[in-house]
Amino acid sequence: MTGGDAAGRGLTGNGSTGEERLRRLLGSEETAWLVERARQRLERGRPLTGTVTLGTASAAQRRAAELLLGRRAGTGTSLSVSLEEVDRVLRTSGAAPGGLHEAVVRLRGPLRDLAGEREASASAWRAAFGNLDAATAARPELTGWRAWLESTGLVRRLVPDPAQARHLLDQLAGVVARLPSPGLPIGRLAAQIAGDAHALDEGRPLGTLALSAAKALTGRAYPGEGGADARRAAWAAVGVHLDDLSSLVLCLGLPGDDRTPTGRMLAAARAAGEPCVLTLRQLRRHDGPLPSAGLVRICENPVVVAAAADELGPSCPPLVCGGGRPSAAVWRLLDLLSEGGGRFVYHGDFDWGGVAIAAAVHDRYGFEPWRFDTAAYEAAASQTVASQAGLTERPCPTPWDPALAEAMARRAVRVEEELVLPVLLSDLSSGLNDRGTR
């Protein structure tokens, strides 16, 4: 007779019920670790086979194991127990005819299906992201951002429940579908998408996620820099303004008049040969188109405006700076100039971000390239030092000159606007013809 058989005989001959016998064998505090190990295996879908070990066992835990098994449980600090042996003891003693599996359920209650729970949770989260994934599927510039959301677990930290997260992510999909959206106040966007004018405020879950999407659309780091100025700039880059005073546009040499406050500001700045900064508030309040400016030069970087003011002063022809991604104020000024009969020529950085900005301007107004075509790129790229950074972003089409995108993809050389500043100033000094070339 084995020790386990002797233990079972001793515990079945005293009139105890099966429940009492089970409690005596496995229901004590000293055997709780063993039951817990068995429960964990069952809930993870693993068989009750092999040995489990308690690293540091007390004398009481060792005596409980010996009572259960009907034999000495070894020496030393650790305690190892065979799950098959426990199962056999429980069956033969009558404490749990169904073995260890039955004993665990009786002692700890129904088992969880952890694998099933994980699959159900994964399915719920896939459904939660469904509309957002559909909104980003055709927008390759958001592919990295979507993967970042998944890898960082940001959504799950903001809203742990997938049902609640689905509502939030559906709203986020609505915001993404509207970006970029030139000239839209953030409160109006929030109200239209979420029914709450403050849903995109700083610190709100939708505001946090939507801001990261805005950064992704403009090539910024998704966590990015903090602070009110960085947040304002990120939103402005996709055409959403936080208020009418924070959205600005820089210009030089635009004609003014005596009819409106904005017209008088432009006239005074032109006469002085100084750059002028206009707010969205001023441009929104301006009544009617601006005085006809004829051919208007558009550049991407403020350094061009500063250099033109230094060298040309009052003689500089009309020049508007997009400042990277055009803000709501930039779009509004260009609208007013276009309504007044203005025509545009454009120059920007020869990189894919600069091309994307130019494409947005071209799509809205059309323009002639100002040394922003294939010939100008080939010439500038040939003079660029080898250490100049290459083109690493995703290529973009150049509808004003389709061959330009092909040349940039082939040469993969980045040419910033500052590197061709002398020739741009020469153009401004001597004038441009209608096609934006000298």
Side-chain angles (χ1 to χ4, degrees), residues 168-381:
L168 174 66
L169 291 170
D170 285 350
Q171 294 178 342
L172 180 60
V175 174
V176 167
R178 296 286 299 275
L179 299 180
S181 186
L184 186 63
I186 195 168
R188 184 182 304 169
L189 176 62
Q192 291 174 351
I193 297 298
D196 176 0
H198 296 285
L200 291 171
D201 285 359
E202 185 175 9
R204 297 283 294 271
L206 182 59
T208 298
L209 296 171
L211 179 60
S212 69
K215 291 177 178 178
L217 286 169
T218 54
R220 290 171 166 82
Y222 317 139
E225 44 188 29
D229 290 343
R231 178 172 176 266
R232 183 180 294 111
W235 278 116
V238 291
V240 177
H241 57 90
L242 275 60
D243 56 75
D244 285 352
L245 296 177
S246 63
S247 184
L248 308 172
V249 57
L250 174 66
C251 57
L252 176 66
L254 291 184
D257 56 33
D258 294 330
R259 186 176 60 87
T260 65
T262 300
R264 289 191 288 273
M265 287 181 61
L266 289 173
R270 186 182 194 188
E274 289 295 331
C276 182
V277 176
L278 300 174
T279 68
L280 180 60
R281 175 185 172 87
Q282 291 169 314
L283 294 168
R284 284 186 177 278
R285 287 172 170 260
H286 183 78
D287 183 22
L290 291 171
S292 177
L295 189 65
V296 179
R297 290 79 173 164
I298 303 174
C299 63
E300 184 178 340
N301 298 285
V303 67
V304 179
V305 177
D310 290 341
E311 292 202 15
L312 305 178
S315 66
C316 184
L319 178 64
V320 174
C321 178
R325 283 276 179 176
S327 66
V330 172
W331 291 122
R332 176 60 177 164
L333 176 58
L334 295 179
D335 283 346
L336 291 173
L337 292 171
S338 179
E339 291 168 8
R343 295 169 293 109
F344 303 116
V345 294
Y346 187 95
H347 189 277
D349 291 335
F350 283 111
D351 58 25
W352 296 121
V355 164
I357 295 168
V361 176
H362 186 271
D363 182 63
R364 186 158 175 160
Y365 307 106
F367 62 68
E368 293 296 332
W370 172 21
R371 298 189 184 273
F372 203 57
D373 54 17
T374 305
Y377 173 71
E378 294 282 9

Side-chain angles (χ1 to χ4, degrees), residues 7-314:
R9 186 182 61 178
L11 289 170
T12 56
N14 59 7
S16 297
T17 65
E19 191 66 27
E20 291 172 342
R21 291 195 294 274
L22 178 59
R23 295 286 175 186
R24 191 176 300 125
L25 285 172
L26 277 180
S28 69
E29 181 179 345
E30 289 74 19
T31 56
W33 71 274
L34 177 57
V35 177
E36 177 62 18
R37 298 284 184 87
R39 183 190 66 80
Q40 291 175 359
R41 289 199 176 199
L42 289 170
E43 290 185 340
R44 292 170 183 168
R46 297 173 57 192
L48 294 177
T49 58
T51 298
V52 293
T53 300
L54 183 62
T56 303
S58 66
Q61 288 172 324
R62 191 174 299 281
R63 285 195 299 271
E66 291 174 346
L67 176 64
L68 170 63
L69 301 175
R71 61 172 176 78
R72 288 185 59 80
T75 60
T77 58
S78 65
L79 173 62
S80 295
V81 176
S82 165
L83 294 179
E84 291 100 334
E85 188 176 357
V86 173
D87 182 80
R88 181 175 55 79
V89 167
L90 293 172
R91 292 177 186 274
T92 58
S93 68
L100 183 54
H101 187 294
E102 175 193 322
V104 170
V105 173
R106 286 165 55 185
L107 292 170
R108 295 295 177 87
L111 297 170
R112 294 170 57 190
D113 179 6
L114 294 182
E117 290 178 13
R118 285 193 296 270
E119 177 53 36
S121 176
S123 178
W125 279 107
R126 285 194 296 271
F129 276 94
N131 287 334
L132 180 63
D133 287 338
T136 59
R139 306 190 68 172
E141 66 272 28
L142 291 175
T143 301
W145 169 75
R146 174 63 182 88
W148 174 81
L149 285 182
E150 192 72 31
S151 64
T152 60
L154 176 59
V155 175
R156 301 187 190 213
R157 293 199 304 273
L158 292 171
V159 187
D161 178 66
Q164 295 177 5
R166 182 170 188 169
H167 179 66
L168 174 66
L169 291 170
D170 285 350
Q171 294 178 342
L172 180 60
V175 174
V176 167
R178 296 286 299 275
L179 299 180
S181 186
L184 186 63
I186 195 168
R188 184 182 304 169
L189 176 62
Q192 291 174 351
I193 297 298
D196 176 0
H198 296 285
L200 291 171
D201 285 359
E202 185 175 9
R204 297 283 294 271
L206 182 59
T208 298
L209 296 171
L211 179 60
S212 69
K215 291 177 178 178
L217 286 169
T218 54
R220 290 171 166 82
Y222 317 139
E225 44 188 29
D229 290 343
R231 178 172 176 266
R232 183 180 294 111
W235 278 116
V238 291
V240 177
H241 57 90
L242 275 60
D243 56 75
D244 285 352
L245 296 177
S246 63
S247 184
L248 308 172
V249 57
L250 174 66
C251 57
L252 176 66
L254 291 184
D257 56 33
D258 294 330
R259 186 176 60 87
T260 65
T262 300
R264 289 191 288 273
M265 287 181 61
L266 289 173
R270 186 182 194 188
E274 289 295 331
C276 182
V277 176
L278 300 174
T279 68
L280 180 60
R281 175 185 172 87
Q282 291 169 314
L283 294 168
R284 284 186 177 278
R285 287 172 170 260
H286 183 78
D287 183 22
L290 291 171
S292 177
L295 189 65
V296 179
R297 290 79 173 164
I298 303 174
C299 63
E300 184 178 340
N301 298 285
V303 67
V304 179
V305 177
D310 290 341
E311 292 202 15
L312 305 178

